[in-house]
Amino acid sequence: MKTWSINSWRKKPAKHLPLYENEAKLNEVLKEISKFPPLVFAGETRTLKQMLADVSEGKAFLFQGGDCAESFEEFLPDNIRDLFKVILQVSLILTVSSHLPIIKVGRVAGQFSKPRSSPTEVINGKELPSYLGDNINSMKFDSEHRKPDPIRLLRAYSQSAATLNLLRAFSQGGFADLSKVHLWNMDFVNDSANKKFKDIQDKVSEALNFMNACGITIEQNRRLRTVNFYTSHEALHLPFEEAMTRVDSTTGEHHDTSAHFLWIGDRTRQIDGAHVEFCKGIKNPIGIKCGPTLDPSELIKLLDILNPENEAGRITLISRFGFDKVKKNLPKLIQAVKKGNKKVVWSCDPMHGNTIKAPSGYKTRPFENIISEVKQFFEVHHNEGTYAGGLHIEMTGKNVTECIGGAQNITDKDLSNRYHTHCDPRLNANQAIELAFLISEEIKKNSKFSINSIKKAS
Ligand code: PEP
Ligand code: CO
């Protein structure tokens, strides 16, 4: 750690960083951003880390969800409200099944930059740089719009600040009040999901009436009126993350104040690479995406570098293998982590390993494969005696048609109806809620694998 500094990543090989034509302009923008107010505070980030430490012991469950890539075009208050609403609904369903607190983390208020499988895109024989996220270039397919433009970082900062402002208002200002749970309905959610959710709302109302009769009122209990909501994104655009990193005056620690939680992508987790170097020195909780090419010994090295003190809550391992690869790949990673006595949260991203190209040409994800990966994730953990601690989903509160299947039975020919994503296909509100109901049995079994239960049993 002696050699770490806020910009020591610059001496390491970095993948998936944009190349700006005008470096002087980029530096000017970064200098400006480095003087902007932080988006989150170190104290909040520490609280989240503590909550994730609880997850690592099986005392809570993590739910992380939001867009694959936020965009300037889809930046609308209703979209933020609907995403927040579905996260609350999913969390309520998961609470009822697990009887545990659900730690709510949005992929929001800063999730812009994307690693792409190819640096260029070819359409009708014309080749241009790939779209890298709205904070870097534009989706419009012409050479001017595809050039990385530093000014976009300023717009992304301001969008993140406004998004976070609204989310803070919703979390603390009464929207999340449990006595208003009936207002969280979504108009288009199908009958069966609606009926099941209505049953939960009735249960909540009954419980609140009972507590009220016992003299425990919502007015007196802030916890029933508000929720803690955290933000996250991939720590990909290192120049921006560096500009947002500040020293916390109360502890002297470095915190990346662009979000509470940051993760390292499956394509940028090289042990000697710039992204790992940067994340090593910031004190935020860090996620590591674990795909099929991650070797168990490499994972242990990553944990030693990123969490040398083996601090609980610091690391969340987000597995994303694909439904047909979980059983082959996940057990060996779990066994290595168990052998090394490493404290981690295990979370499941059932999206990124299950992307296919539909015959229509759209990128999509079959809902049944997503469910299958989640169910196998729980099964593998339970066979290994470990706690399956979280879910990481690409989703939106809107009624989009991007992933095929689910109760609405979205087919390939429906995809073109409302395909709005700027990158990967997301679950719509209906599918996200359905997923939460479909895994209730797995979540119920999960409690046996908390550290307390294991200690009691042995
Ligand atoms: C993502 O989460 O948006 C992403 C690119 O995932 P991964 O790094 O797992 O491919
Ligand atoms: Co994605």
Side-chain angles (χ1 to χ4, degrees), residues 39-282:
L39 291 173
V40 304
F41 301 108
E44 297 173 324
T45 299
R46 269 191 289 274
T47 307
L48 173 61
K49 206 194 269 179
Q50 191 47 54
M51 290 181 170
L52 291 170
D54 288 348
V55 176
S56 73
E57 297 189 350
K59 294 189 224 152
F61 190 82
L62 165 68
F63 181 66
Q64 191 169 10
D67 281 329
C68 177
E70 290 175 275
S71 66
F72 296 161
E73 196 183 321
E74 296 243 319
F75 174 45
L76 299 164
D78 285 5
N79 287 359
I80 302 167
R81 180 201 60 202
D82 291 344
L83 172 70
F84 183 71
K85 205 192 271 189
V86 179
I87 291 179
L88 288 185
Q89 288 176 307
V90 168
S91 300
L92 191 62
I93 298 164
L94 298 177
T95 309
V96 169
S97 311
S98 66
H99 296 164
L100 287 175
I102 307 299
I103 313 309
K104 297 170 241 339
V105 181
R107 281 177 66 113
V108 73
Q111 172 52 28
F112 289 99
S113 303
K114 300 309 300 173
R116 303 311 305 262
S117 41
S118 165
T120 59
E121 188 180 354
V122 181
I123 299 182
N124 297 331
K126 188 173 170 184
E127 186 173 7
L128 286 176
S130 292
Y131 168 65
L132 300 174
D134 270 11
N135 63 345
I136 299 172
N137 60 2
S138 160
M139 248 182 21
K140 281 207 191 100
F141 197 71
D142 63 58
S143 58
E144 218 25 61
H145 283 97
R146 284 294 168 98
K147 272 188 201 155
D149 178 358
I151 294 295
R152 288 178 160 266
L153 290 170
L154 296 174
R155 183 157 171 203
Y157 171 91
S158 114
Q159 179 167 325
S160 302
T163 303
L164 193 49
N165 184 49
L166 192 57
L167 288 167
R168 287 187 193 279
F170 285 150
S171 315
Q172 306 296 317
F175 190 88
D177 187 329
L178 267 181
S179 67
K180 303 215 172 76
V181 70
H182 55 281
L183 298 178
W184 302 351
N185 278 344
M186 307 291 296
D187 299 337
F188 56 85
V189 167
N190 74 26
D191 288 348
S192 103
N194 236 339
K195 160 92 185 60
K196 283 192 206 155
F197 192 69
K198 203 175 167 312
D199 290 345
I200 290 184
Q201 288 171 324
D202 292 345
K203 268 193 205 166
V204 171
S205 296
E206 242 174 69
L208 291 176
N209 286 341
F210 173 76
M211 283 160 64
N212 204 22
C214 300
I216 306 163
T217 63
I218 287 239
E219 290 74 37
Q220 293 161 354
N221 284 275
R222 212 181 129 69
R223 299 247 353 224
L224 300 173
R225 283 185 279 123
T226 62
V227 291
N228 290 324
F229 188 87
Y230 299 95
T231 60
S232 68
H233 61 256
E234 179 172 347
L236 186 64
H237 195 298
L238 295 180
F240 175 79
E241 302 303 336
E242 178 191 321
M244 288 300 296
T245 298
R246 314 286 152 79
V247 175
D248 169 31
S249 57
T250 61
T251 58
E253 297 167 348
H254 283 90
H255 282 247
D256 183 344
T257 65
S258 69
H260 301 105
F261 177 106
L262 294 141
W263 75 85
I264 306 173
D266 197 43
R267 283 163 258 198
T268 48
R269 54 170 165 68
Q270 300 76 27
I271 285 168
D272 300 321
H275 293 83
V276 170
E277 172 66 19
F278 174 75
C279 289
K280 186 169 94 178
I282 55 168

Side-chain angles (χ1 to χ4, degrees), residues 303-315:
L303 294 174
D304 286 337
I305 296 169
L306 290 164
N307 193 18
E309 313 283 332
N310 204 16
E311 181 191 5
R314 160 76 169 166
I315 301 286

Side-chain angles (χ1 to χ4, degrees), residues 1-16:
M1 271 308 276
K2 274 186 220 116
T3 56
W4 187 88
S5 68
I6 192 168
N7 60 7
S8 53
W9 64 268
R10 289 179 183 269
K11 296 191 204 85
K12 305 270 181 174
K15 291 198 176 174
H16 296 282

